[in-house]
Amino acid sequence: MEIRKVGMVGLGTMGAGIAQLCIQSGFETVGREMTPEFAERGHAQISRFLARNVEKGRMTAEERDTALGRLTLTTELEDLAGCDIVIEAIVEQLGPKRDLFAALDGILDADAILATNTSALSVTEIAAATKRPGRVVGLHFFNPAPVLPLVEVVRGQLTDEAVAQQVYAFAKAIGKDPIVCHDTPGFVVNRVLIPVLNDAVRVLDEARVTPEDLDKGCRYGLGWPLGPCALIDLIGVDVQVHASEALYEGFREPRMAAPSRLVNMVNAGLLGRKSGEGFFRYDEQGNRVD
Ligand SMILES: NC(=O)c1ccc[n+]([C@@H]2O[C@H](COP(=O)([O-])OP(=O)(O)OC[C@H]3O[C@@H](n4cnc5c(N)ncnc54)[C@H](O)[C@@H]3O)[C@@H](O)[C@H]2O)c1
C-alpha cells in the first residue's frame, strides 16, 4: 500500500501545521474539524504560514496555490474514507482519542494506517480501541510542526514492523528527520526533557538562584539555546505540569513529579508566555518585557 492521500483530524496548533507539511509535500489532504469555523481557522493558519514562506522566497506564489489546492476541509468523519493514513491531533485525552480511532476503524479501508500525535498518552491503549492495532502508530511532531525537523515514530506494542517503516518513510517524505522508538511514557525527547526541567526548577529553591541566573548558567555553561525557565514559559507551565504527572504515573520516580513551585504557578494563572507571565513577563506579542 502506497501513501497518497492523508486525513488530518483536528486542525488546531499541531494539526494545521501537519496538514501544511502534507500539502507542501504533494499529498492530497482532507482536514476534518468539529465545526466549519474551526476548519476555517485551521485553513487561515496554513494560509498565513504559506504566505510567509512566499515572502521569504522559500516557495513561489504558484507553489503556494498548488499546495492549498490539495487541501479539502470537512466536518464529516466519513469524508476520510479513502485516505491511506489518518493522523490525529485532537484534544490530549484518552477517551476522545479512543472513540475517534474506533470510529475511523469502521470508515477506513482495512489496510489504512492510523497515526496519533499524542505527546503523553499510550499509543498501545489508543490502538486497542481498533481492530487493527498492527496498523496504528504514534507520529509525534514538535511545535511548530512546519519548522522543527524532529518527529518520533512510536511503535505501539502491536505495531507491525512494515507499518512503522512505512510511516518512517512518510515522515521523511514530508520533510522531517524522524527517529523510531517504542511506546513508553514520554517517548524519547519528553522522557529526557521533562525531568531535567523539573530538576532545574528545584535548583531554583535549593540554590536560591534567580530564574535569570539559572537560565544564564544553562545557556553559557551547558550551551542550551534557551534557559530552562524561559523554555518552561514557552512550553506552558500547565503543559509542563501535565506532562510531569503523566511521566510520574508511568515511572513513579520522584524527580518526574511536578515541583510544587510549578503547581502553585498554575493555580495562580502564571502559565508562561501564553498568559503574559510565568517565570518572566511577556507583552501581547510574546516578547520578554523584563
Ligand atoms: N501543542 C504542542 O506543543 C503539541 C506538541 C506535540 C504534540 N501535541 C499533541 O497534539 C494534539 C493536539 O494538540 P494541539 O496543541 O494542536 O491542540 P489544539 O487545541 O490547538 O487543537 C486540537 C483541535 O482538535 C479539535 N478537537 C478537540 N476535541 C476533539 C474531539 N473530541 N474530536 C475531534 N476533534 C476535536 C479542536 O477543534 C481543535 O481544533 C494533542 O494530543 C497534543 O498533546 C501538542
Side-chain angles (χ1 to χ4, degrees), residues 9-15 32-34 38 41 88-92 96-97 117-119 140-143:
V9 184
L11 293 173
T13 307
M14 295 306 291
R32 189 267 183 176
E33 254 298 351
M34 296 200 293
F38 286 162
R41 186 193 56 186
E88 161 285 306
I90 67 165
V91 63
E92 179 75 346
K97 288 196 197 286
N117 185 45
T118 181
S119 310
H140 183 222
F141 290 82
F142 291 76
N143 189 16

Side-chain angles (χ1 to χ4, degrees), residues 143-208:
N143 189 16
V147 178
L148 295 184
L150 185 67
V151 173
E152 292 172 331
V153 175
V154 184
R155 302 175 54 138
Q157 193 72 31
L158 298 176
T159 305
D160 293 343
E161 174 60 31
V163 168
Q165 281 182 17
Q166 196 168 12
V167 170
Y168 182 89
F170 171 74
K172 288 190 106 166
I174 58 171
K176 295 287 119 178
D177 207 341
I179 60 174
V180 186
C181 63
H182 283 260
D183 183 24
T184 53
F187 311 139
V188 175
V189 172
N190 285 339
R191 166 69 181 82
V192 174
L193 178 66
I194 303 298
V196 167
L197 292 180
N198 286 342
D199 283 346
V201 171
R202 292 189 176 100
V203 168
L204 282 174
D205 296 322
E206 287 162 12
R208 280 172 280 159

